[in-house]
Structure formats: C-alpha cells, structure tokens
Amino acid sequence: MMEEVEKLCDRLELASLQCLNETLTSSTKEVGKAALEKQIEEINEQIRKEKEEAEARMRQASKNAEKSAGGGGNGSKHWSEDDLQLLIKAVNLFPAGTNSRWEVIANYMNIHSSSGVKRTAKDVIGKAKSLQKLDPHQKDDINKKAFDKFKKEHGVVPQADNATPSE
C-alpha cells in the first residue's frame, strides 16, 4: 500500500492531495478507504494509459525508422542490378578503416550510378548489411550476372588456337 501512496504523492497536485486528506480525516474509515482506493485506481489507470501511449509512439517510431531505412535497403529506393554491382565494387574499393567510409561509398555511388537515384550513407549501410545476409547461392547468381555483363560489354576473350606448342 505504501507504493500506491507514493504514486499518489508523486502524481496528484497539491489541491487534490489536500482534498483527499480532508476526506480521509473527516469521514469514517470505510469512506476514507473507498476514497483512497478510488484515487489509486484513477492514478493507476492514468499510468496505464501513459504506458500504452508510449508503446504506441515507440511502435510508430520503429515503423518510421524501418521506412526511412528502406526496410534494410529495399524500400522506396529500388536497387537495380547495376547499383548492386556498383555497391559491391565500392565496398571492395573502400575497405574498413576508411575515414567516413559509408559517406564515401554513397558519394562514389551517386557519382557513378546510371540510375540517377541519390543514395545516403544510411541507404548504403542498410543494403550492404542485407547483402551480407544473403545465402551463397544468391551471391553466386549476382556474381554470375556481373561476369555475364562484363563479357557482354567487353567482348569474349578470344580462346587460344589449337596450334601445337613449339619445341
């Protein structure tokens, strides 16, 4: 009961506390107890509502954070195959330990990207993390597509003739 009384002292204004005190001193034990319990219920209800509102705000904030982060990089800013290949190249080009690494990678992508979509460091980090979580088969597919694109752009490397080696 002492915790409840402490809550009352913390939550109620001076006028409300004085009114409750007057009720307690001027009435019978049962009426005073009922008044005290009523105030405690009201305070507990107020605390419960505040907690629910805080939880709702936290859920909303986390939803907004997911949206702004692009859901791990897949949200409103679509990543094309070219952008993914450019991201992989940039991550390899600027290794860990580079000053402001993710800002540098984002800037590199914004300069070299053909899609015209401006990426922030946050977008780049999110997509890089989601790419790390891919299974090996998906990574192989991405690498194969990149190699096929390279072959198409640069032409197939000519094969050596079937000539016999000189002695």
Side-chain angles (χ1 to χ4, degrees):
M1 191 68 167
M2 287 305 289
E3 287 179 28
E4 304 297 329
V5 172
E6 254 186 73
K7 283 183 195 175
L8 287 176
C9 293
D10 285 341
R11 294 287 185 144
L12 291 179
E13 295 177 7
L14 179 61
S16 299
L17 279 173
Q18 287 173 339
C19 182
L20 179 62
N21 188 31
E22 213 173 279
T23 305
L24 289 172
T25 56
S26 66
S27 62
T28 64
K29 187 176 182 180
E30 290 80 25
V31 172
K33 185 176 180 180
L36 182 65
E37 288 175 351
K38 180 182 173 209
Q39 282 290 329
I40 290 172
E41 284 180 30
E42 288 175 6
I43 292 296
N44 285 338
E45 182 67 22
Q46 182 183 11
I47 291 171
R48 187 187 60 77
K49 284 181 182 177
E50 287 174 2
K51 282 183 182 177
E52 286 176 356
E53 289 172 1
E55 288 173 1
R57 282 193 302 270
M58 290 297 288
R59 283 192 299 270
Q60 186 64 33
S62 67
K63 285 180 185 177
N64 291 342
E66 282 179 17
K67 287 180 184 176
S68 69
N74 295 330
S76 61
K77 294 184 179 179
H78 176 72
W79 288 79
S80 66
E81 289 293 324
D82 291 339
D83 285 346
L84 290 176
Q85 292 168 9
L86 189 62
L87 174 62
I88 293 168
K89 180 179 178 181
V91 167
N92 291 329
L93 190 61
F94 302 105
T98 304
N99 283 340
S100 304
R101 177 185 189 204
W102 297 106
E103 287 81 7
V104 171
I105 291 173
N107 187 35
Y108 178 87
M109 290 197 60
N110 290 335
I111 291 170
H112 294 90
S113 177
S114 59
S115 69
V117 178
K118 295 295 180 193
R119 308 282 181 192
T120 64
K122 204 173 208 179
D123 295 333
V124 171
I125 291 171
K127 192 60 181 180
K129 284 185 179 181
S130 70
L131 285 175
Q132 283 180 333
K133 294 177 186 173
L134 291 177
D135 65 39
H137 298 296
Q138 289 175 317
K139 288 181 183 177
D140 291 341
D141 290 343
I142 291 173
N143 286 334
K144 187 175 185 306
K145 286 180 185 176
F147 183 69
D148 290 343
K149 180 183 175 200
F150 176 80
K151 282 194 321 190
K152 188 191 306 179
E153 288 177 358
H154 294 81
V156 179
V157 177
Q159 297 292 325
D161 293 334
N162 290 337
T164 59
S166 61
E167 292 185 20

